[in-house]
């Protein structure tokens, strides 16, 4: 019974019933006060009542007989000073003798106002009025009934309403106390969200063919476990998906559940940790208990690094609650038997901070790296996210994949969505290449700042700055291909050059890194040559160039100091690492040599940028002037500009003049 009374449905029904009863009592009291005949009645004396009755001004009467007195209620109608008929509720009380015996009454019988004496009883005059006027209503009421409701009706309604209000308040208080107790017990409940049938399939996952092949084994196991147990094979209890944000780790886990048709429990690592010690461990126990009851099933833990970081590391030691949760997770993953029908899939961006005990065999014993998609993968992702969109015939997914090197699947999905929004904003019926190109720029540098006005001098300096970057990409070997140049302000930049490698690269050679630094120095070099001044627009270029040069010297061994690692990035102190961000293994004298090598690389790149720009001075001027006129140029337009020295859109359409047709002279008629 207690369990039934504590159910949410029982609490809601009781509260609802009490609320309805209380509101009903209030409405009954209001209705009684409004419609009660005694409410607001004007008390008059018997003589005035007889005068109104004899003059035909009384509309109706209600007779209430008592032992010694008689009460008459009713309505009479009089004309006010404005000539309007006003209906008034009245009551008159008189002795029994005055009501029943014949008495002399002065009544107005004539219209001239003269009064005559009438010897009648009041009850007799009421009966005469009823005979003369059919609309005159006479009602006789039980005195006990009237006395009871008139005297005790409001009291009963008020007392009943107050009792219902108290019951309602006590019910709410008890339910609040019970809910508080239940909430205290619910802290240990699992926060995993269950999806019985995932709608995501492997066809919805593109650009990760190798990863899908690895995950298909899990689908086969969940569908046909006997196929593996027949040969004594054991499926991994846990699979760890590692990769950068947006590359499709969560999508892969949902696709496994969708293909296998098993329940899918999804939870984030942060859902385990609370301010109360022991709550996270209780939630882990409850989650695996539910998973065992619903086996075969799939448990997905997103951002597991929130709870699975190294124990006892970092600034100030470990966190008791997080470490207890991790310990319970380790115990639970050891607790269920092999081939129990439960597969735990976890995802993280930082596998380097996870506790080693979490990654050992028997727990997360399979690690799958989900990388950013390559060119073919990006093309397939564009096709997946363009299924329900209306595209222009000129949209080429292969060209789009070349422009989006380094983009994740989530980035491409966002680009196609932004392109659709831009097409709607422009009232187009199709998504064009320009919409997608603008969406890519918005993803890289933010929306265009159309409200930001540049002075002619600033616009010219930015044009030459970006042209310097572009000419290095066009003329310097091992440089990335220039995809677009723009001087439209976006974000914190006045313009930018979008450059991407010809093909996807997994490693970078020294020549490619030097070419990248030369390209970064191209903007500053162009300002020095053409503007005879420099600006702070190259601050981010210098920052990136210095970082690349330092990594070449201290981490990658690409300098005269030899293949020695002098610095190692150890990550953040709060992720379970050392106090300093970088670990330095060199002396003060070596530090000076490192600084000299970095300066040597930057100076060489600067000189190379100056040389290339001076050798291609006319091309830089052409690019800058074209940018000032058109503000942005695409990669195809740059190739046409370098070959023809003008843009194709600047060409004037040629008009072809056709000669007027000559009129044939009429032939002479032959003589018959």
């Amino acid at each position: 019974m207690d369990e039934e009374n504590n159910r949410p449905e029982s609490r809601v029904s009781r509260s609802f019933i009490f609320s309805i009863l209380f509101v009903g009592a209030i409405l009954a009291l209001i209705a009684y006060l409004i419609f009660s005949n005694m409410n607001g009645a004007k008390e008059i004396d018997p003589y005035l009542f007889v005068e109104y009755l004899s003059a035909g001004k009384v509309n109706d009467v209600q007779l209430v007989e008592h032992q010694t007195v008689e009460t008459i209620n009713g309505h009479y109608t009089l004309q006010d000073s404005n000539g309007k008929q006003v209906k008034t509720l009245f009551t008159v009380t008189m002795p029994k003798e005055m009501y029943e015996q014949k008495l002399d009454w002065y009544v107005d019988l004539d219209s001239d106002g003269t009064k005559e004496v009438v010897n009648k009883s009041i009850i007799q005059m009421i009966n005469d009025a009823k005979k003369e006027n059919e609309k005159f209503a006479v009602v006789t009421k039980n005195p006990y009934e009237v006395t009871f409701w008139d005297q005790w009706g409001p009291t009963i309604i008020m007392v009943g309403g107050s009792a219902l209000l108290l019951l309602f308040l006590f019910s709410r208080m008890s339910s609040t106390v019970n809910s508080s107790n239940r909430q205290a017990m619910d802290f240990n409940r699992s926060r995993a969200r269950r999806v019985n049938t995932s709608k995501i399939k492997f066809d919805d996952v593109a650009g990760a063919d190798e990863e899908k092949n690895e995950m298909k084994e899990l689908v086969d196991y969940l569908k046909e476990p006997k196929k593996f147990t027949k040969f004594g094979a054991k499926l991994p209890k846990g699979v760890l998906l590692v990769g950068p944000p947006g590359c499709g780790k969560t999508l892969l886990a949902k696709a496994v559940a969708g293909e296998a048709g098993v329940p899918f429990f999804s939870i984030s690592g942060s859902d385990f940790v609370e301010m109360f010690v022991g709550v996270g461990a209780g939630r882990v126990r409850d989650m695996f208990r539910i998973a065992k009851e619903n086996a075969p099933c799939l448990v997905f833990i997103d951002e597991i690094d929130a709870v699975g970081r190294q124990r006892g590391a970092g600034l100030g030691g470990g966190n008791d609650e997080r470490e207890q949760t991790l310990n319970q997770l380790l115990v639970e993953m050891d607790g269920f038997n092999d081939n129990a029908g439960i597969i735990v899939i976890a995802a993280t961006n930082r596998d380097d901070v996870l506790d080693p005990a979490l990654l050992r065999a028997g727990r997360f014993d399979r690690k799958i790296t989900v990388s950013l998609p390559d060119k073919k993968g990006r093309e397939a992702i564009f096709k997946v996210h363009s299924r329900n969109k209306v595209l222009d015939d000129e949209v080429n997914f292969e060209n789009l994949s070349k422009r989006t090197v380094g983009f994740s699947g989530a980035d491409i999905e966002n680009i196609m969505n932004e392109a659709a929004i831009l097409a709607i904003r422009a009232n187009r019926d199709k998504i064009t290449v320009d919409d997608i190109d603008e969406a890519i720029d918005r993803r890289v540098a933010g929306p265009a700042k159309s409200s930001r006005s540049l002075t002619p001098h600033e616009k010219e300096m930015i044009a030459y700055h970006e042209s310097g970057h572009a000419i290095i990409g066009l003329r310097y070997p091992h440089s990335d291909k220039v995809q677009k140049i723009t001087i439209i302000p976006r974000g914190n930049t006045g313009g930018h050059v979008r450059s991407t490698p010809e093909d996807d690269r997994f490693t970078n050679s020294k020549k490619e890194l030097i070419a990248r630094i030369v390209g970064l120095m191209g903007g500053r070099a162009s300002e020095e040559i053409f503007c005879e001044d420099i600006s702070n627009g190259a601050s981010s270029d210098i920052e990136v160039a210095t970082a690349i040069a330092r990594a070449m010297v201290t981490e990658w061994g690409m300098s005269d100091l030899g293949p020695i690692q002098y610095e190692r990035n150890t990550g953040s102190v709060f992720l379970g690492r050392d106090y300093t961000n970088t670990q330095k293994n060199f002396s003060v004298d070596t530090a000076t040599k490192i600084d000299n090598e970095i300066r040597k690389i930057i100076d060489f790149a600067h000189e190379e940028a100056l040389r290339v720009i001076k050798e291609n001075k006319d091309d830089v001027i052409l690019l800058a002037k074209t940018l000032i006129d058109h503000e942005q140029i695409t990669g195809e337009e740059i190739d046409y500009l370098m070959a023809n020295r003008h843009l194709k859109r600047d060409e004037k359409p040629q008009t072809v003049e056709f000669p007027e047709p000559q009129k044939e002279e009429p032939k002479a008629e032959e003589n018959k």
Side-chain angles (χ1 to χ4, degrees):
M1 289 295 295
D2 294 337
E3 294 181 356
E4 293 180 357
N5 292 333
N6 289 333
R7 290 178 182 175
E9 295 85 357
S10 300
R11 296 197 305 271
V12 172
S13 61
R14 287 204 307 268
S15 301
F16 180 75
I17 291 173
F18 283 133
S19 302
I20 292 297
L21 292 176
F22 178 72
V23 173
I26 296 299
L27 293 177
L29 178 61
I30 295 173
Y32 177 82
L33 295 177
I34 292 176
F35 297 104
S36 175
N37 289 333
M38 292 297 296
N39 181 32
K42 182 178 180 181
E43 189 172 355
I44 61 177
D45 58 62
Y47 297 97
L48 186 59
F49 168 71
V50 172
E51 183 177 350
Y52 288 162
L53 181 63
S54 61
K57 298 177 180 178
V58 178
N59 306 109
D60 57 84
V61 294
Q62 183 187 77
L63 307 178
V64 184
E65 297 181 355
H66 300 275
Q67 293 182 355
T68 58
V69 295
E70 188 78 16
T71 302
I72 301 176
N73 305 319
H75 296 84
Y76 63 82
T77 304
L78 297 178
Q79 186 175 0
D80 60 3
S81 58
N82 297 326
K84 184 178 180 181
Q85 299 292 328
V86 179
K87 193 174 184 180
T88 307
L89 178 66
F90 73 90
T91 180
V92 57
T93 304
M94 64 190 70
K96 197 75 171 178
E97 295 79 6
M98 182 180 292
Y99 176 72
E100 296 178 350
Q101 295 179 3
K102 292 183 178 181
L103 300 174
D104 292 333
W105 302 96
Y106 289 93
V107 297
D108 188 5
L109 296 179
D110 300 328
S111 58
D112 57 357
T114 59
K115 295 184 182 295
E116 296 183 5
V117 179
V118 176
N119 184 258
K120 289 183 180 181
S121 64
I122 294 180
I123 183 61
Q124 187 177 357
M125 286 189 284
I126 292 175
N127 292 330
D128 294 342
K130 184 178 180 180
K131 292 177 181 180
E132 295 175 0
N133 187 2
E134 295 180 354
K135 296 182 179 180
F136 184 77
V138 179
V139 179
T140 303
K141 206 166 186 181
N142 189 347
Y144 299 102
E145 178 185 357
V146 174
T147 302
F148 177 80
W149 285 111
D150 289 348
Q151 295 181 1
W152 299 102
T155 305
I156 292 174
I157 294 176
M158 291 299 295
V159 171
S162 301
L164 290 174
L165 177 61
L166 291 176
L167 288 174
F168 174 73
L169 294 177
F170 280 124
S171 174
R172 295 291 296 177
M173 291 174 61
S174 61
S175 62
T176 303
V177 173
N178 293 333
S179 63
S180 300
N181 295 333
R182 281 188 295 272
Q183 287 178 2
M185 298 302 296
D186 286 346
F187 269 110
N188 288 343
R189 297 282 182 88
S190 172
R191 296 294 191 268
R193 294 166 292 277
R194 173 174 177 171
V195 179
N196 291 326
T197 304
S198 176
K199 297 180 180 180
I200 305 298
K201 306 294 182 181
F202 278 139
D203 293 338
D204 300 318
V205 183
D209 296 335
E210 294 80 5
E211 292 82 353
K212 284 195 292 186
N213 292 332
E214 292 288 334
M215 304 294 279
K216 285 180 180 178
E217 291 183 0
L218 305 181
V219 177
D220 294 338
Y221 166 69
L222 291 172
K223 284 185 175 181
E224 301 180 30
K226 294 181 179 180
K227 177 181 177 181
F228 294 86
T229 57
K230 179 180 178 181
F231 295 94
K234 297 179 182 179
L235 260 289
K237 293 182 180 180
V239 178
L240 182 65
L241 301 178
V242 181
C247 58
K249 299 184 291 296
T250 305
L251 198 64
L252 275 172
K254 291 182 178 180
V256 171
E259 292 287 345
V262 297
F264 178 77
F265 294 92
S266 175
I267 192 171
S268 175
S270 60
D271 290 334
F272 292 112
V273 182
E274 288 282 353
M275 63 180 294
F276 302 106
V277 177
V279 171
R283 291 179 179 176
V284 171
R285 287 191 296 269
D286 190 62
M287 181 183 69
F288 279 94
R289 177 187 62 80
I290 297 174
K292 292 174 184 178
E293 294 174 355
N294 293 272
C297 66
L298 191 69
V299 178
F300 177 67
I301 305 175
D302 197 10
E303 305 297 343
I304 194 174
D305 53 276
V307 72
R309 298 174 190 167
Q310 292 184 10
R311 291 168 289 183
L315 182 65
N319 178 278
D320 290 338
E321 165 63 4
R322 181 177 55 80
E323 291 191 0
Q324 286 191 24
T325 306
L326 175 58
N327 292 336
Q328 188 63 40
L329 180 62
L330 299 176
V331 171
E332 290 293 337
M333 294 194 69
D334 281 338
F336 59 88
N337 300 325
D338 297 327
N339 299 324
I342 303 174
I343 295 180
V344 182
I345 300 179
T348 181
N349 309 323
R350 296 295 310 272
D351 60 314
D352 57 322
V353 303
L354 295 179
D355 194 277
L358 198 63
L359 303 177
R360 75 156 175 83
R363 287 169 182 150
F364 287 101
D365 40 15
R366 177 176 293 186
K367 178 180 176 182
I368 299 177
T369 301
V370 185
S371 305
L372 292 173
D374 56 6
K375 183 171 67 175
K376 291 184 178 179
R378 292 191 298 274
E379 183 178 352
I381 294 173
F382 269 111
K383 293 179 180 179
V384 168
H385 294 298
S386 302
R387 290 174 180 173
N388 58 343
K389 296 178 175 61
V390 182
L391 301 180
D392 189 75
D393 296 335
E394 296 182 358
V395 176
N396 190 313
F397 294 119
E398 184 179 358
N399 294 336
L400 291 177
S401 65
K402 293 179 181 179
R403 300 181 189 177
T404 53
V405 176
F407 281 51
S408 65
D411 293 332
I412 295 175
E413 181 183 7
N414 179 265
I415 287 171
M416 295 306 299
N417 184 62
E418 284 288 336
I421 294 174
L422 292 172
I424 295 172
R425 188 182 300 176
N427 293 325
R428 282 190 283 271
D429 56 352
K430 294 181 180 180
I431 300 174
T432 63
V433 178
D434 294 336
D435 295 328
I436 301 176
D437 193 64
E438 173 65 19
I440 294 174
D441 287 340
R442 291 168 71 92
R443 182 61 187 165
V444 173
K449 302 287 186 180
S450 57
S451 60
R452 182 183 299 177
S453 59
L454 300 175
T455 63
H457 177 69
E458 286 179 329
K459 193 172 184 179
E460 181 181 4
M461 180 170 284
I462 293 173
Y464 277 104
H465 180 100
E466 302 303 335
S467 299
H469 286 307
I471 207 64
I472 300 296
L474 294 172
R475 299 289 184 260
Y476 199 77
H478 306 288
S479 297
D480 295 339
K481 179 177 176 57
V482 179
Q483 299 287 352
K484 187 176 183 179
I485 317 173
T486 177
I487 59 172
I488 298 175
R490 293 179 182 272
N492 296 324
T493 63
H496 70 275
V497 176
R498 192 202 308 160
S499 301
T500 57
E502 289 283 352
D503 299 310
D504 294 306
R505 298 174 183 172
F506 296 96
T507 59
N508 293 104
S509 65
K510 182 178 179 179
K511 292 180 179 180
E512 291 171 348
L513 293 172
I514 291 294
R516 187 175 298 177
I517 298 176
V518 173
L520 291 169
M521 292 290 104
R524 169 59 62 90
S526 180
E527 291 180 4
E528 294 176 2
I529 294 174
F530 295 100
C531 301
E532 297 181 355
D533 196 4
I534 56 177
S535 67
N536 60 355
S539 60
S540 60
D541 300 331
I542 296 172
E543 179 183 358
V544 176
T546 305
I548 296 174
R550 188 170 193 86
M552 291 175 62
V553 175
T554 61
E555 298 182 37
W556 303 328
M558 296 180 179
S559 68
D560 295 339
L561 296 180
I564 301 174
Q565 187 183 52
Y566 294 100
E567 293 180 353
R568 180 169 62 92
N569 190 0
T570 58
S572 174
V573 58
F574 296 104
L575 293 178
R577 287 292 183 258
D578 295 332
Y579 186 72
T580 56
N581 287 339
T582 56
Q583 183 177 352
K584 300 180 180 181
N585 301 317
F586 50 83
S587 62
V588 177
D589 181 58
T590 305
T592 303
K593 294 179 181 179
I594 291 173
D595 292 339
N596 293 334
E597 289 295 325
I598 295 173
R599 176 173 289 278
K600 186 188 298 184
I601 294 174
I602 297 297
D603 289 343
F604 172 78
H606 187 219
E607 293 297 328
E608 285 291 287
L610 290 172
R611 178 185 63 81
V612 173
I613 291 174
K614 289 178 181 178
E615 291 177 357
N616 300 274
K617 196 171 184 179
D618 294 338
D619 293 339
V620 177
I621 295 174
L622 178 63
L623 283 173
K625 290 184 177 180
T626 306
L627 280 174
I628 293 174
D629 294 337
H630 298 282
E631 292 187 338
Q632 62 182 9
I633 318 172
T634 62
E636 294 80 4
E637 290 178 329
I638 293 173
D639 295 337
Y640 189 89
L641 179 65
M642 293 294 101
N644 299 280
R645 315 307 292 176
H646 65 272
L647 291 179
K648 191 173 183 179
R649 48 180 159 169
D650 291 338
E651 294 179 353
K652 295 182 179 180
Q654 298 179 357
T655 56
V656 180
E657 297 181 359
F658 296 96
E660 295 182 0
Q662 298 179 355
K663 297 181 179 180
E664 296 183 359
E665 296 181 358
K667 296 180 179 180
E669 294 183 1
E670 297 181 356
N671 296 327
K672 292 181 180 181

